Structures are given as C-alpha cells and as structure tokens.
Amino acid sequence: MNRALLGVGVVCLIALVAPFGRAQTCGLPPILAGAYAYPHEMEHGRGLIMAAMEPQLAQLPGFMRDIVRDQMQSRITIPTRITIALPDPIVSVTYEGERTNVVACPIGGTTTVTSRDGDAVPVTQRIQAGWLEQVFTGPNGTLRLLLSTEPDGQTLHVDGTVTSERLGQPVPVRLDYHRVP
C-alpha cells in the first residue's frame, strides 16, 4: 500500500473550529459541527486499524507480512482531535495529532493536503447518506472517510474504507470520537 496514502488517510481523521449552533446551510446536519477527541490511547486506534488490515496482510508471504506489518504500524497516526466547521460554502475539517492537516473546500469541491512524505494528495468532500464524506486519492488507492454522529451529537463516527489494487478487497475500520468543549 502507498505510504503517502496510508499516512494521509490515517492522519486525515482531523477538523477546523466553528461556533456550535451557528446556522449552517451547506447541506450537512448542524450537529456535525464541533470538536471531538479520541477517548483512548493511540495504541487502541492503531490496534483497530491493524486488526482491520490483518486479513489482507495474512495473504502475503511470511517474510513480506512481517515487513509490511512493521512499516504500517510505524506509520499509523491517529488524530487526537477532530474539529468540524460548516460555514457555507466552505466545509472545514481539522485533524490534529502528531501533525495537523486541514481539509477545507465546498461540498463537491476538491482540495489537496500534504502527506507526511510531502506528497500532494487530492481530497474531495461530498455528502453521502446525509453526512460528510471525504475521499483521499493516492496513486495506489483511495481512502473514504464518512464523518457522522449519533443523534445526540456526542459521538463522532469516523468510518474509513481503504481500497487499492494491491488489496484483495476494501478494508473498513471505524474510530469513535467524543465531543469536547
């Protein structure tokens, strides 16, 4: 799997601050706006991602499996905080952790973020099933993130799916974040 795609994909679980309750007209539920923190140690999130990848890793030859597993584990970063702002027309998501990435563009628009390796990665934002979907596209695959909340807005679900020609099938994983002031 492309290191840039994996690094940006995992890192890009992050957002920009907007006043909660402000009138939103970008087509997304206003309850999505706000700041959310990952409630576990980073190893917990890494473990969830590695467990999701394990069936794909198991298909590799033994010597390759260990090398790829070690590379992946060393590159996975989990955002500690995601902040989502919904001022019309720009939707902004800031991912904070070991580094900060901001994805900001209108729904249906595309922008770029920089991977930890310095590569430009295009990101398209759109509405999927009433929630915010971000699609990160790299040379070896795609990461789709669907950002949604529970009805009370206290839990942000970040559902990621990695697809690549190098993977036998799409790899889904979910990380949950809790709303913070």
Side-chain angles (χ1 to χ4, degrees):
M1 181 187 310
N2 180 347
R3 290 180 7 186
L5 177 62
L6 179 63
V8 168
V10 174
V11 168
C12 285
L13 300 168
I14 311 177
L16 196 105
V17 181
F20 186 72
R22 180 177 168 184
Q24 313 294 328
T25 57
C26 63
L28 291 166
I31 199 165
L32 187 61
Y36 303 87
Y38 192 66
H40 306 286
E41 296 293 321
M42 295 304 105
E43 286 308 312
H44 177 268
R46 284 186 188 98
L48 292 173
I49 292 168
M50 290 306 297
M53 292 299 295
E54 197 58 42
Q56 300 300 314
L57 293 174
Q59 297 176 16
L60 297 173
F63 70 95
M64 286 290 295
R65 184 179 319 130
D66 293 337
I67 292 170
V68 171
R69 184 180 292 119
D70 289 346
Q71 287 178 344
M72 287 179 62
Q73 286 177 330
S74 70
R75 297 196 52 81
I76 293 173
T77 58
I78 307 296
T80 56
R81 183 178 175 103
I82 298 174
T83 307
I84 302 170
L86 302 177
D88 198 15
I90 302 298
V91 173
S92 179
V93 180
T94 302
Y95 298 95
E96 300 173 60
E98 291 178 15
R99 53 189 300 251
T100 298
N101 276 324
V102 177
V103 176
C105 66
I107 294 296
T110 299
T111 188
T112 59
V113 295
T114 303
S115 74
R116 74 178 349 173
D117 297 325
D119 298 324
V121 177
V123 184
T124 301
Q125 296 194 121
R126 55 189 175 212
I127 296 176
Q128 176 66 29
W131 297 103
L132 178 60
E133 180 182 54
Q134 296 179 318
V135 180
F136 298 81
T137 307
N140 294 317
T142 301
L143 171 70
R144 294 181 191 285
L145 296 178
L146 184 66
L147 306 170
S148 64
T149 67
E150 287 294 316
D152 66 1
Q154 295 304 303
T155 301
L156 173 71
H157 302 298
V158 180
D159 291 297
T161 304
V162 176
T163 56
S164 173
E165 292 179 8
R166 296 180 181 189
L167 299 172
Q169 60 188 24
V171 177
V173 67
R174 171 179 272 191
L175 299 177
D176 288 328
Y177 287 73
H178 293 161
R179 186 176 293 279
V180 294

